[in-house]
């Protein structure tokens, strides 16, 4: 099976698999226990935390280990919302706009319509429960979250802005630096869902390749907290780590109300740690740091992805690459096949040995086109027949050749 579905999940590396096995067998004690075995497990957890923190360039203490990207996002959004409602506050004093006319006294959360369902559905859920007013950040003419539209959405009831760094369906990179600048100016915390970015692109150094420079990452000052946001979500299973472990970085001073109560994670997230998963995540983080140190492999893989796209476009009339005109991650392609249905294509491709996916969800027998593609202005017939293929660090030229032939056939 040729696996071009790394944005869904990646295959753990050999070293990660071995580390998880070894930790399962030997580091079984509870890291909160005071005995020697417990302290060995604690030491392993803290070493992994250091490795994960190094990947995004933050102090390890500021990293909360969770069960994955979805829980980190939940903790970020509900946690900041909860802190706002208490005397602890979020640590931010929003700048009151001169003519603020908030239609409601509910706190509001600003997100882009291209967010992952973990953000989109949570915000919709909180809105249904009358806990927040959702404020959609419009997309610009190119289909990217528009930083120019942000100031007019922020008022004294704004608790949080949450924008992803890169899109899971198209790989389109969002202008996170400009959004961060606006949030800083208005003293509103910014959460970044960086699940698709971390491990694929450097977070803290200005990347040298032109693709990344266009994202606005370059030029950021590198201080103690070099990330552009105040909270950041990452998920190691997207960079060859294990599933069921994630992390939320919370900048010092940002108020966060825990969502599961317990003494672990400095009282910020209760529950016994998933030691083998965390150990594996640490190994994956170390491997990612080493891989990211050289921009060449990213360029090579981007060229592989581009070659795949060109072959499909030239050999299958009418196909369109969604998001091709935007700055994208090196690994993702989202291709529309007019008149075809995504799910039928995915099943046929799978039968012929190619794993891919689509942003569409099947509900009551009908296939809904991806809300992300529709929000980007992609016409419904194209969105219906769009599939995503995503490379990983190990995707070879031979796999690309074979994948081209399977898709064309
Ligand atoms: N955010 C983005 C952009 C994602 O792609 C995903 C997973 O696909 C998530 C959040 C959720 O992460 P997890 O699968 O670790 O819960």
């Amino acid at each position: 099976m040729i696996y071009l579905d790394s944005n869904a999940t990646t295959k753990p590396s050999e070293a990660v698999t071995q580390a998880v096995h070894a930790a399962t067998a030997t580091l079984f004690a509870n890291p909160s226990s005071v005995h020697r075995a417990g302290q060995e497990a604690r030491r392993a957890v803290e070493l992994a935390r250091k490795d994960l923190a190094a990947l995004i360039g933050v102090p390890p203490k500021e990293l909360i280990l969770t069960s994955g990207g979805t829980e980190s996002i939940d903790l970020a959004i509900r946690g900041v919302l909860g802190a706002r409602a208490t005397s602890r506050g979020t640590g931010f004093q929003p700048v009151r706009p001169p003519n603020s006319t908030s239609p409601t006294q509910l706190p509001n959360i600003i997100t882009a319509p291209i967010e992952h369902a973990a953000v989109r559905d949570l915000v919709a859920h909180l809105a249904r429960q009358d806990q927040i007013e959702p404020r959609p950040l419009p997309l610009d003419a190119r289909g990217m979250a528009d930083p120019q539209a942000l100031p007019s959405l922020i008022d004294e009831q704004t608790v949080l802005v949450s924008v992803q760094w890169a899109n899971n369906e198209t790989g389109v990179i969002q202008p996170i630096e400009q959004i961060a600048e606006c949030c800083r100016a208005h003293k509103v915390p910014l959460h970044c869902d960086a699940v698709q970015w971390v491990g694929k692109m450097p977070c803290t150094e200005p990347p040298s390749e032109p693709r990344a420079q266009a994202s606005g990452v370059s030029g950021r000052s590198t201080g103690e907290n070099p990330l552009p946001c105040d909270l950041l979500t990452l998920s190691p299973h997207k960079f060859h780590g294990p599933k069921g472990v994630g992390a939320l970085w919370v900048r010092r001073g940002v108020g966060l109300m825990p969502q599961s109560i317990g003494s672990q994670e400095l009282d910020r997230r209760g529950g016994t740690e998933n030691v083998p998963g965390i150990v594996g995540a640490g190994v994956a983080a170390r491997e990612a740091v080493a891989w990211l140190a050289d921009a060449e492999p990213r360029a090579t893989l981007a060229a592989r992805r581009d070659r795949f796209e060109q072959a499909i476009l030239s050999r299958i009339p009418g196909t369109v690459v969604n998001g091709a005109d935007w700055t994208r991650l090196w690994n993702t392609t989202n291709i529309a096949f007019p008149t075809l249905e995504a799910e039928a294509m995915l099943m046929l491709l799978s039968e012929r040995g190619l794993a891919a996916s689509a942003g569409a969800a099947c509900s009551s027998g009908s296939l809904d086109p991806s809300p992300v593609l529709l929000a980007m202005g992609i016409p419904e017939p194209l969105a219906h027949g769009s599939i995503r293929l995503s490379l990983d660090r190990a995707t070879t030229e031979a796999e690309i050749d074979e994948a081209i032939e399977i898709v064309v056939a």
Side-chain angles (χ1 to χ4, degrees), residues 7-8 68-70 73 116 118 164 166 168 193 195-196 235 237-238:
N7 285 11
T70 302
I73 287 167
H116 185 270
Q164 63 187 199
N168 44 300
D193 171 2
V195 164
Q196 294 294 345
S235 184
H237 77 93
K238 307 294 183 181

Side-chain angles (χ1 to χ4, degrees), residues 164-398:
Q164 63 187 199
W165 206 328
N167 186 265
N168 44 300
E169 291 184 37
T170 61
V172 171
I173 295 169
Q174 301 301 316
I176 202 73
E177 183 69 33
Q178 289 101 301
I179 288 167
E181 218 168 273
C182 178
C183 289
R184 274 195 298 275
H186 288 81
K187 296 197 166 45
V188 169
L190 171 64
H191 166 248
C192 178
D193 171 2
V195 164
Q196 294 294 345
W197 180 274
V198 173
K200 295 193 184 105
M201 296 293 287
C203 287
T204 55
E205 292 149 35
S208 52
E209 66 264 54
R211 275 164 209 284
Q213 276 173 1
S215 76
V217 175
S218 58
R220 183 179 342 122
S221 66
T222 48
E224 194 192 334
N225 281 325
L227 296 176
C229 47
D230 304 292
L231 305 101
L232 179 138
T233 286
L234 67 88
S235 184
H237 77 93
K238 307 294 183 181
F239 53 91
H240 303 281
K243 278 165 274 297
V245 56
L248 174 68
W249 168 69
V250 185
R251 189 169 60 71
R252 194 155 55 94
V254 174
L256 190 84
M257 177 175 274
Q259 299 302 302
S260 61
I261 307 303
S263 59
Q264 289 85 359
E265 298 300 300
L266 301 175
D267 296 332
R268 296 168 300 182
R269 191 249 186 195
T272 302
E273 297 88 341
N274 167 8
V275 178
I278 291 168
V279 167
V283 173
R286 277 207 305 276
E287 290 186 332
V289 167
W291 187 78
L292 289 167
D294 180 3
E296 194 52 43
R298 297 198 287 281
T300 303
L301 285 157
R304 240 163 247 178
R305 186 270 315 269
D306 293 349
R307 186 167 73 75
F308 175 83
E309 285 180 348
Q310 285 314 314
I312 301 302
L313 292 178
S314 65
R315 291 176 61 183
I316 308 180
T319 46
V320 179
V321 174
N322 297 319
D325 297 338
W326 300 295
T327 310
R328 290 183 295 159
L329 286 176
W330 53 262
N331 80 315
T332 311
T333 182
N334 190 305
I335 305 183
F337 298 78
T339 76
L340 296 184
E341 279 286 352
E343 198 178 62
M345 267 188 290
L346 294 180
M347 288 191 299
L348 281 173
L349 291 174
S350 173
E351 275 171 25
R352 288 164 189 240
L354 176 60
S357 61
C362 191
S363 60
S364 19
S366 73
L367 200 66
D368 294 329
S370 150
V372 168
L373 297 183
L374 294 181
M376 288 171 69
I378 288 157
E380 208 168 316
L382 289 185
H384 261 296
S386 292
I387 61 169
R388 173 189 75 189
L389 300 108
S390 42
L391 287 61
D392 64 33
R393 296 199 307 245
T395 306
T396 63
E397 293 284 5

